[in-house]
Amino acid sequence: MSISQSHDVSSAVREAFNFSVDKFPLSGPDGMTTPWYGMFRSDNFEVVGNGSVTSRYVPHTTDDVCALVDAAGEAFDSDLECQTHFRDGHYVSINPTKEQRAAVYGTTDNIWPRIVIRAGYDGRAFSATMGYYRDVCQNLAIFKSVQKATVRIRHTSGLRARMNDLIKQFGILKQSWGTLTTLIQHLQGQQVSMVQFLDQVYGHPDADATKKALTIHKNRTEAIFKRLTNE
């Protein structure tokens, strides 16, 4: 879905995850107590996850996910795309729309931010990825990571403190990404002639240069352009 403002992102995520996931003790026959617990959705009481957990397991909450989204949404001053999914956990992806990427970050070689939250109850750690990505095709359908950092938090007694720290980190993203956008726009405004640059670095063959020298110069220039295009 495409969303216009950060608070709309928060509302959309809260609407998608309008339930909690709670840990309850599992009983044996005739109410026999066990050391095992199960995770259940509050809206339909379905079992969440792929097995039981122990008393040491500390589940993340829907509010944790929404708090991260609240902080992350403030990092974008533009229209956003937000994808949400629940399957044994919460999954959220936030990034500028394709139109915004083309308008702000360029159309041929743009760099843009993206946040991905993977919060499963499947035995894996809660993870949040914050990174810069670039488009590798003109229709903006394929992209790859330029730089990213992933924080993983295990569902143990340390989850609550680390989750609070992560929310604070998300809250300071706005300044860093705003600076990056300004820098990208400045660099895109600089006109650079690659041919002139290469001539200054490698020199240009004289008018009376041999055919071999001209061929070497041509092949080297083409190879550099091809490498730049691929990069």
Side-chain angles (χ1 to χ4, degrees), residues 10-218:
S10 176
S11 299
V13 172
R14 291 181 184 278
E15 182 178 352
F17 303 139
N18 60 348
F19 54 88
S20 63
V21 177
D22 306 303
K23 184 176 76 171
F24 291 108
L26 300 178
S27 301
D30 298 325
M32 179 189 305
T33 60
T34 73
W36 308 109
Y37 292 76
M39 307 298 298
F40 300 86
R41 285 181 56 156
S42 64
D43 57 341
N44 55 20
F45 305 108
E46 288 184 355
V47 176
V48 176
N50 54 10
S52 59
V53 299
T54 68
S55 60
R56 297 192 303 270
Y57 185 91
V58 178
H60 68 272
T61 67
T62 303
D63 286 341
D64 288 330
V65 176
C66 292
L68 283 174
V69 171
D70 289 342
E74 294 300 324
F76 302 89
D77 286 325
S78 61
D79 293 348
L80 306 177
E81 287 182 348
C82 177
Q83 292 81 38
T84 60
H85 179 66
F86 188 91
R87 183 175 181 180
D88 289 330
H90 307 83
Y91 298 89
V92 182
S93 175
I94 305 173
N95 53 261
T97 64
K98 291 183 178 181
E99 293 77 13
Q100 187 69 13
R101 281 153 53 187
V104 176
Y105 299 98
T107 56
T108 57
D109 186 17
N110 55 62
I111 301 174
W112 44 274
R114 183 171 184 247
I115 293 173
V116 178
I117 298 172
R118 295 183 175 90
Y121 297 100
D122 53 1
R124 299 181 181 180
F126 182 110
S127 72
T129 299
M130 303 159 282
Y132 299 123
Y133 295 79
R134 66 184 293 192
D135 293 296
V136 296
C137 62
Q138 291 186 349
N139 64 4
L140 310 181
I142 302 175
F143 57 88
K144 66 178 180 179
S145 169
V146 174
Q147 184 178 14
K148 66 180 179 180
T150 299
V151 176
R152 292 182 173 86
I153 304 176
R154 296 181 61 189
H155 288 85
T156 60
S157 59
L159 178 138
R160 185 57 48 228
R162 293 203 62 194
M163 189 69 67
N164 291 336
D165 288 341
L166 183 58
I167 291 171
K168 291 180 180 178
Q169 292 178 36
F170 269 40
I172 63 175
L173 292 177
K174 183 178 178 64
Q175 180 178 355
S176 62
W177 275 340
T179 301
L180 178 65
T181 301
T182 301
L183 176 61
I184 291 172
Q185 291 173 331
H186 172 73
L187 292 176
Q188 288 177 341
Q190 304 299 312
Q191 299 297 322
V192 178
S193 172
M194 186 56 63
V195 174
Q196 294 178 359
F197 172 75
L198 293 177
D199 285 346
Q200 290 182 5
V201 174
Y202 296 105
H204 191 278
D206 297 331
D208 57 349
T210 64
K211 183 177 180 180
K212 180 178 180 181
L214 292 172
T215 300
I216 292 175
H217 177 77
K218 176 177 178 295

